[in-house]
């Protein structure tokens, strides 16, 4: 579907919304400050235009009440006036990409000026009113850069002006329109550049000590720009500061035409201000703007998960189903193990262990099955099962985590990605099956897809992200092919070559310089849906590839090199996932929602493969009494002493003063020297298989009994949930969702690049079929599609999470994640320069009462390590992969978390939002459990009380999840932790966990470290 069609549908939806009814559910929020807001003055100096929270507003230049002239769903940014004052131009993200738009000052005649799959940003009119300069990533869809472009408004002609491989952006016309000044990433981004409009000649205009942004050319020829320095964001001219201690936002100052004093408007500290280049004090222009929010709590019926029932449930988390070469069997991972199922028959568990077994793949002759497992090893390794004898053997001994294994056509080699960083950043490697030698064939890639082999075994292909530019990380998933022939000597046999000595040393052979990577875009600018389960998959005869485009299965012809010989052809109209070819290169197995389907690509005939696999929730039937020396029940900030907590099954039956009579019968746990409190909730960590079975034990060992995973590949998340419920892997209960829902472009492997409204509906139906706990609206999902997602999610009783603040707070999105984090704008509408938020953001959070997960753990974790250096040697960290352990050893414990100061900007934002009425929940966006303790420490460092900090990991997330935990009282689920020290006296004591109870199951710390916890039972107990 074209973006024009999406736009038409969006406009129709807005029209259908109409005016708010008389009994409006919305709450007015009137504010006097704007976060990440820009301002532009009209040519006559009488009016201002601002871009408060994604809409364009106008107000008198003397100040007053602002009037919104665009609706809520434009994500309209950085207005600029035409020289005749009849038009306000801006860039907006209405239909899934940034385009240049214009609107009359009274709100009429809103229209698009540019179109296409590229992003156009930061428009500015020439003084003669004939042209608009803007920045754009128009160029090679497999990777380009931002350049300055010109739109001739008379003819509609577009012309590229700059062509340097750096990113050039934020243009500004010279007074005579002969040059355009701009910011650029060239030379460390510390200079203002200018380009001659007629000749294209470029020159450096001025240089700053900081990063330069947003130059604005004044009528007297001076250029004012923003300079970002350590702890300072200021306006400068020729390196000289103008704004002093103000927090000047990084947007173009707007000069008053004809002003003899070269006066200009700008925004700093959330306020509109006016000053002169010549000096003097700034004048503050007071304003107000009224927005509306929805207070979501109570507006829909929340679904509540049942953790007490032992009724068998169908297994929905079917991971990587693959059809055998003869088309008669299907292998897949589910509920912790590998299963093999005759087509039309019953699944058989072929691993039956307590490990995490995943990602099966058939050998070309169907006699062997390779899969990833952490049985008999600390972390995932590759194993091969002989299907005749039933014997399995470990074939790798790596310090990285191999997954996505795929056999070469001759059955002698196995390609895989071996994870060596966060969110499945990985090398590509190849195993020689006979010798056990592993060869790295490509250095680290950004979360690559599963490899697939060319028919001659000389190349592997995989999905990888091709960012449009370096300025923004998002791009499209395209086909990357890697030349492995030079490394593997495929033209010569392996016999007689001594490679066995390297078998245990991991992928030590680096890819040679100049490796012959080749990229192919079967449909330029259209993305393969995801790198997590959407192909491409090469047909065994080498003539075709299959992948998922726009939610459905597509096939296209290819050369032996992988080069497309024609466009992809959709062969299904239903949701599809995980395509797998049969050996005849004619039949493809795929997942469609909660079903397995096989299609004949020649006839189009499709049939459902029955799958009958159930698991039984593992709910204890025990009687346990915990004698607590100190009880922090989180019902209040008071500590109770000498208390008995009785647990029946998985629920707390009573909390009473200690008496010996309470200890009759059942198991008695002596915590008389410890503090007992509710188990902790990590509200934001993306669970992924490469961390293995041991990550579940690591969470528990640090006191975390529930984890919310707000983004993963769909079926892997469901398998995590079901394996936990079945008790096959010890760990916290899991709340989660499938893909991060993007639009058009994508970055993460766990994201999906939705491109049509029909595809979005498919994703919503998958959420319903797989019983997600929430939906995640991600960076590039347009506001109108976020509205549709919210309506659907609430109709099935689950919440929606987003990075956004507005109009998310208007349409009823439940949760906002991060104080800042990735934004499609390149800056956050929640937090401005210097990590500061202002009244608009705080009041939007407070008046909507929304759930807010800040994620500001770095400084807090560092504080913990500084106070307790011995913590670095804690044996619990051995449960993590080596790369996490190395991060910790180098004190880079939060290398992937935002570097924030909890004593100032972000920390102040969290406290202000809490005091205004937001529900603060603790999460970290990292896999390392120590960081949740760092998050709470950061809150305390910011000025939050210890009790309120503890609530952020107990009471508050329990409320947000609609989960009966968070306090210790009768009727609640039995999630308890026993720690050494009083956490209310010092939040640093919280990590000193000695024993954990989750859902009524008791875990001793030493059992978790050894991997011999009571719930680590054989899989037969859970079936």
């Amino acid at each position: 579907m074209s973006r024009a069609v999406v736009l038409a549908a969006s406009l129709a939806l807005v029209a259908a919304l109409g005016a708010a009814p008389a009994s409006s559910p919305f709450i007015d929020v009137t504010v006097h400050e704007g976060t990440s807001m820009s301002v532009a003055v009209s040519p006559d100096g009488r009016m201002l235009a601002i871009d408060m929270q994604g809409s364009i507003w106008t107000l008198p230049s003397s100040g007053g009440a602002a009037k919104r002239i665009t609706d809520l769903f434009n994500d309209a940014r950085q207005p600029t006036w035409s020289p005749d004052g009849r038009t306000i131009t801006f860039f907006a993200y209405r239909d899934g990409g940034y385009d240049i738009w214009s609107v009359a000052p009274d709100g009429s005649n809103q229209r698009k000026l540019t179109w296409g799959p590229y992003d156009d940003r930061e428009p500015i009119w020439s003084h003669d009113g004939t042209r608009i300069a803007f920045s754009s990533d128009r160029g090679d869809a497999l990777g380009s850069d931002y350049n300055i472009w010109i739109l001739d408004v008379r003819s509609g002609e577009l012309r590229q002006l700059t062509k340097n491989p750096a990113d050039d952006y934020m243009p500004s016309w010279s007074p005579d329109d002969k040059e355009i000044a701009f910011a650029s990433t060239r030379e460390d981004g510390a200079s203002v550049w200018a380009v001659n409009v007629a000749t294209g000649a470029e020159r450096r205009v001025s240089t700053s000590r900081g990063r330069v942004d947003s130059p604005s050319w004044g009528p007297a020829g001076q250029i004012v720009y923003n300079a970002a320095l350590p702890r300072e964001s200021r306006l400068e001219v020729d390196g000289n500061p103008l704004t002093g201690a103000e927090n000047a936002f990084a947007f173009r100052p707007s000069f008053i035409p004809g002003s003899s004093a070269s006066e200009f408007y700008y925004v700093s500290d959330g306020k509109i201000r006016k000053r002169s280049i010549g000096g003097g004090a700034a004048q503050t222009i007071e304003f107000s703007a009224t927005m509306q929010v929805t207070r979501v709590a109570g507006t829909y019926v929340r679904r509540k998960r049942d953790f007490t029932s032992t009724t068998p449930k169908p297994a929905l988390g079917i991971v990587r189903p693959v059809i055998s070469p003869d088309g008669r069997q299907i292998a897949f991972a589910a509920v912790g193990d590998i299963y093999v199922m005759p087509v039309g028959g019953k699944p058989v568990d072929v691993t039956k262990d307590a490990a995490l077994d995943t990602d099966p793949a058939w050998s070309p002759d169907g006699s062997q099955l390779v899969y990833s497992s952490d049985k008999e090893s600390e972390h995932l390794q590759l194993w091969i099962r002989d299907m005749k004898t039933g014997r399995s053997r470990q074939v790798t001994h790596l310090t990285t985590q191999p997954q996505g294994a795929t056999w070469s056509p001759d059955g002698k080699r196995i390609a895989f990605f071996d994870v060596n960083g966060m969110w499945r950043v990985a090398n590509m490697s190849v195993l020689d099956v006979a010798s056990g030698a592993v060869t790295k064939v490509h250095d680290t890639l950004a979360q690559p897809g599963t490899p697939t082999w060319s028919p001659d075994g000389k190349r592997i292909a995989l999905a990888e992200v091709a960012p449009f530019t370096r300025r923004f990380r998002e791009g499209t998933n395209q086909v990357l092919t890697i030349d492995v022939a030079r490394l593997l000597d495929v033209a010569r046999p392996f016999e007689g070559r001594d490679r066995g000595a390297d078998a245990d040393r991991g992928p030590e052979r680096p890819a040679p310089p100049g490796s012959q990577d080749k990229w192919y875009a079967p449909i330029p600018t259209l993305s393969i849906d995801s790198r997590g389960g959407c192909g491409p998959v090469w047909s065994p005869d080498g003539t075709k590839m299959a992948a998922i485009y726009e939610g459905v299965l597509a096939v296209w012809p290819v050369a032996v090199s992988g080069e497309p010989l024609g466009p992809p052809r959709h062969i299904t109209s239903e949701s599809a996932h995980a395509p797998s070819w049969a050996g005849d290169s004619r039949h493809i197995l795929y997942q469609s929602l909660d079903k397995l389907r096989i299609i004949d690509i020649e006839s189009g005939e499709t049939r459902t493969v029955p799958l009958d696999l159930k698991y039984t929730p593992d709910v204890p039937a025990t009687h346990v009494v915990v004698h607590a020396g100190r009880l922090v029940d989180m019902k209040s900030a008071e500590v109770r002493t000498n208390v008995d907590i009785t647990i029946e099954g998985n629920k707390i039956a009573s909390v009473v003063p200690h008496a010996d009579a309470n200890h009759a019968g059942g198991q008695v746990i002596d915590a008389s020297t410890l503090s007992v409190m509710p188990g902790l909730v990590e509200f934001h960590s993306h669970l992924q298989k490469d961390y293995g079975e041991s990550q579940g034990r690591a969470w528990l060992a640090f006191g975390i009994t529930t984890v919310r995973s707000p983004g993963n590949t769909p079926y892997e998340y469901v398998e995590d949930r079901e394996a936990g419920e079945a008790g096959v892997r010890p760990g916290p209960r899991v709340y989660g969702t499938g893909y991060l829902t993007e639009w058009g472009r994508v970055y993460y492997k766990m994201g999906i690049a939705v491109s049509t409204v029909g595809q979005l509906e498919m994703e919503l139906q998958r959420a319903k079929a797989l019983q997600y706990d929430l939906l995640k609206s991600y960076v590039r999902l347009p506001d109108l599609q976020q509205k549709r997602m919210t309506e659907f999610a609430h109709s099935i009783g689950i919440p929606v999470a987003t990075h956004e603040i507005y109009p998310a707070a208007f349409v009823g999105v439940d949760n906002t994640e991060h104080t800042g984090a990735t934004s499609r704008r390149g800056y956050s509408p929640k937090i401005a320069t210097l990590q500061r938020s202002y009244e608009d953001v705080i009041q939007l959070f407070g008046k909507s009462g929304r759930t807010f997960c800040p994620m500001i753990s770095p400084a807090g974790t560092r504080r913990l390590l500084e106070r307790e250096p011995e913590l670095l040697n804690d044996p619990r960290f051995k449960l993590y992969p080596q790369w996490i352990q190395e991060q910790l050893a180098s004190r880079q414990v939060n290398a992937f978390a935002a570097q924030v100061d909890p004593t100032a900007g972000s920390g102040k934002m969290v406290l202000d939002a809490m005091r205004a009425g937001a529900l603060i929940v603790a999460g970290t966006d990292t896999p390392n459990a120590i960081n949740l303790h760092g998050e709470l420490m950061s809150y305390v460092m910011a000025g939050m009380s210890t009790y309120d900090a503890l609530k952020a990991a107990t009471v508050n997330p329990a409320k947000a999840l609609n989960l009966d935990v968070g306090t210790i009282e009768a009727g609640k689920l039995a999630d308890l932790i026993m720690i050494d020290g009083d956490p209310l006296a010092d939040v640093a004591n919280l990590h000193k966990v000695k024993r954990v109870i989750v859902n009524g199951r008791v875990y001793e710390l030493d059992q978790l470290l050894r991997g011999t916890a009571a719930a680590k039972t054989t899989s037969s107990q859970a079936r």
Side-chain angles (χ1 to χ4, degrees), residues 959-993:
K959 179 180 179 180
L961 294 173
N962 196 26
L963 175 63
D964 289 331
V965 297
T967 58
I968 296 179
E969 57 185 312
K972 291 296 181 81
L973 293 170
D975 283 14
L976 289 73
I977 59 174
M978 289 154 246
I979 61 178
D980 188 5
D982 182 355
L984 282 170
D986 187 349
V987 75
N989 288 327
L990 192 59
H991 74 80
K992 301 171 184 177
V993 178

Side-chain angles (χ1 to χ4, degrees), residues 943-961:
M944 189 181 291
S945 73
T946 304
Y947 179 63
D948 281 332
L950 294 178
K951 283 178 66 178
T954 53
V955 176
N956 296 355
K959 179 180 179 180
L961 294 173

Side-chain angles (χ1 to χ4, degrees), residues 510-775:
S515 59
Q516 300 299 304
D517 292 357
K518 289 188 178 180
W519 287 85
Y520 298 110
I523 307 177
T525 74
L526 183 65
S527 181
I528 294 173
D529 282 6
S530 175
R531 305 194 298 284
C534 293
V537 187
W538 223 313
S539 63
D541 65 8
T543 64
K544 298 174 285 292
M545 281 189 185
I548 312 301
Y549 278 101
E550 299 177 300
V552 301
L553 182 60
V555 173
W556 65 97
V558 295
V560 68
S561 64
E563 181 181 3
L565 300 178
R569 173 175 59 94
H570 289 176
I571 60 172
T572 69
S573 58
E574 63 183 356
S575 175
H577 183 82
S580 163
W581 290 93
D584 61 6
S585 296
R586 176 172 173 173
H587 292 86
I588 297 177
L589 170 76
Y590 64 96
Q591 288 173 282
S592 185
L593 304 182
D594 57 351
K595 294 180 173 57
L596 295 178
R597 305 270 277 164
I598 295 176
I599 186 170
D600 182 325
I601 66 169
E602 294 183 7
S603 69
E605 179 184 353
T606 306
R607 58 193 172 102
T608 297
V609 180
L611 174 59
D612 182 14
L613 179 64
K614 292 183 171 63
Y615 69 95
T616 300
D618 180 40
V619 179
T622 51
H623 175 88
V624 177
V625 178
V626 178
H627 178 197
R630 294 179 299 274
L631 174 63
V632 181
D633 61 16
M634 291 309 298
K635 295 170 63 178
S636 73
E638 299 299 319
V639 177
R640 298 164 62 182
T641 58
N642 208 23
V643 174
D644 286 337
I645 306 161
T646 301
I647 300 169
E648 299 290 353
N650 69 340
K651 286 193 172 184
I652 298 171
S654 65
V655 182
V656 297
H658 168 67
D660 291 342
N662 297 335
H663 294 191
Q667 181 182 4
V668 176
I669 297 176
D670 182 8
S672 59
T673 62
L674 303 174
S675 293
V676 179
M677 67 171 289
L680 306 179
V681 179
E682 160 62 85
F683 204 75
H684 189 123
S685 182
H686 300 277
L687 300 182
Q688 306 211 312
K689 298 299 185 191
D690 47 283
Y691 304 129
E693 176 271 344
S694 62
Q695 189 187 34
R697 291 184 281 122
W699 290 120
L700 296 182
F702 280 97
I704 295 165
T705 55
T706 298
V707 172
R708 172 180 172 269
S709 179
N712 198 345
T713 59
Y715 299 90
E716 287 187 310
Y717 146 63
V718 178
E719 195 278 339
D720 281 331
R721 181 187 75 203
E722 294 175 343
E725 289 182 350
V728 300
R729 294 197 296 267
R733 65 172 53 81
V734 174
Y735 278 68
T737 188
Y739 291 129
L740 306 172
T741 308
E742 296 270 34
W743 192 275
R745 304 184 187 187
V746 68
Y747 175 69
Y748 284 116
K749 183 174 182 174
M750 56 183 158
I752 185 169
V754 174
S755 56
T756 70
V757 292
Q759 184 184 356
L760 177 61
E761 294 301 318
M762 290 183 188
E763 284 304 304
L764 298 179
Q765 291 303 318
R766 174 150 53 195
K768 182 177 181 179
L770 299 185
Q771 301 173 23
Y772 292 0
D773 298 305
L774 68 143
L775 290 174

